[in-house]
Structure formats: C-alpha cells, structure tokens
C-alpha cells in the first residue's frame, strides 16, 4: 500500500520561503510520477509541480514557475517542494500525490499540509 506523508507546512510572510517534504513508502517508485497539488478554500484542487521518479521530466504550473522547485531524494524516498517568493495567493492545503507514469490520474494522495502566507 502506497503511503505519502507530507510535512513542512506552516505560516510565512509574503516574500518568504517554505519547504515541503513528502515521505513515500509502500513500493518502489521508479515507475511513478510524483506531484504536488494544492487546494485553497472554495477552490478546486490544482496541479503545482510534478517530477518523474526515474528522472528527466519536471513540470510546473505557470503560477509557480521561477518560484517553486520540485526535487526528489531517491535514497530517502522523499519528494521536496521548495517555495520561494511566496504570495498570499499561494495559501492552500498542499498535497503530495503519486501515479504510475502511463496513467493520466494521480491515484495516491497524502493527507495534506497547510501553507498560509500572510500579506
């Protein structure tokens, strides 16, 4: 059973930085894509960033390009999201997710971690 556990959320002032981590367990993730999503109150969940576990492809939402960086530590089975130049509109619950590379839908989700950016 895949388990994804996020950590690192919190409160930060606008312009500040915050790092999120996702500890993945339950299987070998070499055939998976890992992603970060977020959901603000009253809004739909949206894609933030994704990375192919085996390496190569990285994607970002236009709203976070140049400010957020996704990375992985294969030795620790961990995916990170470094968020810089945070804005109030980045406030949301952030979720880690995983899917097999040949699927279009993310099947496995973490419980989420709150990120609040004060303006």
């Amino acid at each position: 059973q895949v388990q994804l556990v996020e950590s690192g959320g919190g409160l930060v002032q606008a312009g500040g930085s915050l790092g999120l981590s996702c500890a993945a367990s339950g299987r070998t993730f070499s055939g998976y894509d890992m992603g970060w999503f977020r959901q603000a109150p009253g809004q739909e969940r949206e894609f933030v960033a994704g990375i192919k576990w085996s390496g190569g492809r990285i994607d970002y939402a236009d709203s976070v390009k140049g400010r957020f960086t996704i990375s992985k530590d294969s030795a620790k089975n961990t995916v990170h999201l470094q968020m810089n130049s945070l804005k109030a509109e980045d406030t949301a619950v952030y979720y880690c997710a995983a899917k097999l590379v040949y699927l279009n839908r993310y099947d496995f989700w973490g419980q989420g971690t709150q990120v609040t950016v004060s303006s």
Side-chain angles (χ1 to χ4, degrees):
Q1 180 72 12
V2 172
Q3 284 194 320
L4 304 172
V5 179
E6 303 97 335
S7 61
L11 174 65
V12 64
Q13 288 188 332
S17 299
L18 204 59
L20 304 181
S21 295
C22 172
S25 62
R27 62 188 59 183
T28 302
F29 289 92
S30 57
Y32 281 74
D33 290 333
M34 307 297 293
W36 284 97
F37 291 73
R38 66 186 181 187
Q39 187 168 21
Q43 298 187 21
E44 293 188 354
R45 189 175 300 185
E46 65 174 358
F47 172 81
V48 175
I51 186 169
K52 187 178 294 295
W53 192 272
S54 60
R57 179 175 172 177
I58 292 178
D59 297 306
Y60 295 99
D62 287 343
S63 58
V64 307
K65 279 181 182 176
R67 300 188 299 123
F68 290 11
T69 302
I70 188 171
S71 63
K72 63 175 177 68
D73 184 336
S74 298
K76 296 182 178 180
N77 258 22
T78 303
V79 179
H80 301 283
L81 184 69
Q82 179 62 37
M83 305 182 292
N84 298 327
S85 302
L86 283 161
K87 307 174 182 179
E89 50 263 44
D90 294 318
T91 295
V93 177
Y94 283 70
Y95 297 91
C96 178
K99 69 172 185 70
L100 288 164
V101 294
Y102 54 82
L103 295 179
N104 292 324
R105 182 187 67 194
Y106 280 82
D107 286 334
F108 303 102
W109 296 86
Q111 81 288 353
T113 185
Q114 177 70 46
V115 172
T116 303
V117 184
S118 62
S119 57

